[in-house]
Amino acid sequence: MTAVGDIGDRTDRRAVISVLRRLLSPEGQANPLPVWEELRGMGDVVPAPWGGYFVTGYEACSQVLRGRTWLVPDIAWQERQPDPERWHAPATQEMSNALSRLNAPAHTCQRRGLGNLFDRRTLQEMQPDIEDHVRGLLDQLEAGLRDRGVADLVATVSEQLPVRTVGHWLDIPAEHHAHILDFTHRQVFAQELLPTRSDLAVSAEATREMRTFFTDLVRQRRARPGNDVVSGWIRHWDARFPDDRAAADRTLYHLIMFITIASLETTATLLSNAVWFLLRDPGRWNWLRHHPEHIDDAVNEVLRYDPPIHLNSRIAAEHTILAGVPIAKDTMVHVLYGAANHDPRRNPDPHTFSILRRGDHLTFGGGAHYCLGAALARLEARILLTHLLKRFPTLEPAGGPTYAPRMVFRRMTSLKVTA
Ligand code: HEM
């Protein structure tokens, strides 16, 4: 596949802008496949209209995520940018201290401190609680279906399970869950590809609420330490910064805040997508009911087919060549997970949803920043599908889903179901 190398070409710029507009439209949100297809048709590495590049091919995306030539856009890079309104905005700056925006050595140090968050033993211990959450949420779904005939799977189940799971794991009382979901949905605007001034203002307010909430959480846990996960992290960072309580608190705030918000919309989208992709073809729901041993395969195909995060950015640490395109040091590239997952050179017949495909995907990223919660997200999806298939054999969609107009973080806002 050829690469488009001429960033000054007006036709190419216009073509890319028009494709991106389509991605933001309701049609593009409902079905981004033609958009990804078109972008990949322009090359493995496609100039972005505002500078930098989109990376569309699987191999090129994998190379960027895993290669040492590529860094995440950290604070030092942001401070070199000529657009302070965007890069110095409070909400953007706040996320710049989070794990996903750190490079080595700070990143390596924090990842080592966390270890493997969801190893086999931890997941086994979490499983009974997740099963309980699922049973409770499906009781509510059943009540909604009984009383009104139709229920919203997103609001009733998919958005609730991740916040209950992570809330329970971090010992955050249920009375705070709605507020956490609310500021998470608003904070994300600053992390979109091209946030407007009003997006940044919405995010700034959400960021203030988020900071107050998680700073209080650390303070309260310090006052009453226990054997919970957060108390363990407090002990770890106090030992690392024995003479600097403020530094320990800053690190703790950013870790807890980021791990919590990174786990919510992403997992909710996976759960909603899983139910939608299985229900929109009635044969699939029924087939999986009779072959529950393939639930994990179904979850993997949902992750490949429609990744909850569409795009992630990296910076060239030095002059380099990517898929034949020379990229100057400090240039930003945007990895398009969905386009990569649908690259026919990696996954033949990529637009066919096939439970038994065992396809490859980059949905959880790759390399040093590989998602820390991948195993937990897969477990939540497996438990939810296992219970749903058993309890609601005749579940059906009552219309198509609706989506928030996003370019980076995909969010299904509603999926009405009936049984
Ligand atoms: C379906 C659900 C999820 C998806 C699709 C997802 C996706 C991702 C992606 C794409 C990255 C960036 C990887 C990279 O830059 O190469 C990431 C990082 C991360 N994710 Fe997830 N995630 C999910 C669920 C979770 C959950 C449940 C948690 C925690 C409970 C979590 C915690 C994190 C953290 C802490 C990072 C930062 C890792 C780092 O920068 O070192 N994620 N995730």
Side-chain angles (χ1 to χ4, degrees), residues 350-390:
H351 302 336
T352 299
F353 182 94
S354 167
I355 292 176
L356 297 177
R357 166 192 295 276
R358 304 243 159 120
D360 292 327
H361 64 74
L362 296 171
T363 298
F364 290 117
H369 289 269
Y370 184 80
C371 175
L372 267 168
L376 177 63
R378 286 183 193 270
L379 178 65
E380 287 178 60
R382 184 202 306 152
I383 296 177
L384 176 63
L385 288 182
T386 305
H387 285 252
L388 259 178
L389 287 160
K390 274 196 198 136

Side-chain angles (χ1 to χ4, degrees), residues 135-375:
R135 273 189 283 271
L137 293 170
L138 295 192
D139 287 347
Q140 287 175 28
L141 186 75
E142 194 172 295
L145 290 172
R146 195 180 48 235
D147 297 346
R148 293 180 294 280
V150 173
D152 185 358
L153 185 105
V154 174
T156 318
V157 180
S158 336
E159 295 219 322
Q160 300 305 322
L161 182 58
V163 74
R164 288 193 188 188
T165 301
V166 165
H168 191 84
W169 174 60
L170 296 179
D171 219 357
I172 300 175
E175 74 214 49
H176 300 302
H177 293 179
H179 186 210
I180 294 175
L181 283 179
D182 181 42
F183 61 61
T184 301
H185 294 323
R186 288 181 285 129
Q187 206 289 332
V188 91
F189 283 112
Q191 299 174 65
E192 274 297 308
L193 190 55
L194 296 171
T196 61
R197 201 172 282 173
S198 65
D199 288 340
L200 289 172
V202 171
S203 266
E205 177 52 33
T207 300
R208 275 189 286 279
E209 293 172 32
M210 197 173 77
R211 190 184 305 157
T212 306
F213 180 81
F214 287 106
T215 310
D216 281 353
L217 182 76
V218 174
R219 196 169 35 237
Q220 286 159 13
R221 212 54 65 89
R222 268 195 188 292
R224 277 188 301 282
N227 286 326
D228 58 290
V229 177
V230 172
S231 298
W233 291 341
I234 292 175
R235 282 190 286 274
H236 174 89
W237 288 101
D238 281 357
R240 266 204 82 90
F241 295 110
D243 306 318
D244 193 349
R245 172 65 65 85
D249 276 349
R250 269 197 307 277
T251 307
L252 283 159
Y253 157 68
H254 280 107
L255 274 176
I256 300 165
M257 173 275 281
F258 184 72
I259 291 173
T260 307
I261 68 169
S263 70
L264 299 181
E265 285 199 351
T266 48
T267 312
T269 302
L270 166 64
L271 304 178
S272 303
N273 275 350
V275 176
W276 168 236
F277 290 142
L278 293 171
L279 284 184
R280 76 178 180 189
D281 174 350
R284 255 180 224 150
W285 189 255
N286 216 16
W287 185 87
L288 198 56
R289 253 178 14 90
H290 292 102
H291 298 89
E293 69 279 12
H294 288 299
I295 287 179
D296 283 346
D297 294 327
V299 170
N300 198 57
E301 178 65 345
V302 173
L303 285 162
R304 180 196 74 86
Y305 201 86
D306 192 356
I309 303 181
H310 272 191
L311 179 152
N312 206 344
S313 303
R314 293 287 196 269
I315 307 299
E318 56 197 47
H319 294 291
T320 186
I321 294 185
L322 182 65
V325 177
I327 313 256
K329 182 177 178 205
D330 247 14
T331 303
M332 182 176 255
V333 300
H334 307 293
V335 168
L336 289 171
Y337 294 118
N341 295 352
H342 285 257
D343 185 338
R345 293 165 296 184
R346 189 69 181 203
N347 292 307
D349 191 15
H351 302 336
T352 299
F353 182 94
S354 167
I355 292 176
L356 297 177
R357 166 192 295 276
R358 304 243 159 120
D360 292 327
H361 64 74
L362 296 171
T363 298
F364 290 117
H369 289 269
Y370 184 80
C371 175
L372 267 168

Side-chain angles (χ1 to χ4, degrees), residues 389-405:
L389 287 160
K390 274 196 198 136
R391 271 180 73 170
F392 299 91
T394 59
L395 200 69
E396 280 179 31
T402 55
Y403 297 87

